[in-house]
Amino acid sequence: MKDLMEYKGYLGSVHFDSEDEIFYGKIEGIEDLISFEGKSVNEIKKAFIESVDDYLHASSKVKKEYPEKSFKGSFNVRIPTDLHRKAYRKSLIEGISLNQLVQKAIEKEIKQDKAHVA
């Protein structure tokens, strides 16, 4: 994981400000903006963990059922023209839509990632 931390299923981005000599980040994949910071690796990790715990605690107090960001299942993808043409041709040959081809490719990539983690 590059520039990310994980805790309780939440991801936190990590950045470094060389001018202020501080690490900072935010919890990714949620509707709210929750940020954290620290002056060392240990401090940023601790601040991230505390931020997630505080966020989950606050969410449960206001009975927020799904604190994670919602996804509608559609997004734009920009690819080179030649790759678009090849993907379209492959979808025709396989008898599926271009959306189905892209979905299969993403599912395959996600499964490969899980295999590398295990």
Side-chain angles (χ1 to χ4, degrees), residues 45-56:
K45 285 181 177 180
K46 182 179 178 197
F48 170 59
I49 289 168
E50 289 173 356
S51 294
V52 169
D53 287 340
D54 288 348
Y55 178 65
L56 292 173

Side-chain angles (χ1 to χ4, degrees), residues 82-97:
D82 191 49
L83 181 58
H84 189 172
R85 182 179 295 106
K86 288 176 182 176
Y88 173 72
R89 289 177 51 84
K90 181 157 179 71
S91 71
L92 287 175
I93 292 166
E94 290 191 16
I96 60 176
S97 70

Side-chain angles (χ1 to χ4, degrees), residues 27-48:
I27 300 175
E28 300 290 342
I30 61 174
E31 296 291 345
D32 301 302
L33 175 60
I34 308 294
S35 60
F36 48 90
E37 62 181 50
K39 289 201 166 277
S40 69
V41 172
N42 286 337
E43 282 185 20
I44 192 75
K45 285 181 177 180
K46 182 179 178 197
F48 170 59

Side-chain angles (χ1 to χ4, degrees), residues 54-100:
D54 288 348
Y55 178 65
L56 292 173
H57 180 72
S59 294
S60 70
K61 275 188 151 185
V62 295
K63 296 182 174 38
K64 192 174 189 178
E65 287 187 44
Y66 301 104
E68 291 85 12
K69 184 175 185 174
S70 62
F71 292 92
K72 58 185 176 175
S74 66
F75 58 96
N76 292 325
V77 179
R78 307 238 187 286
I79 60 174
T81 303
D82 191 49
L83 181 58
H84 189 172
R85 182 179 295 106
K86 288 176 182 176
Y88 173 72
R89 289 177 51 84
K90 181 157 179 71
S91 71
L92 287 175
I93 292 166
E94 290 191 16
I96 60 176
S97 70
L98 186 55
N99 280 342
Q100 290 170 314

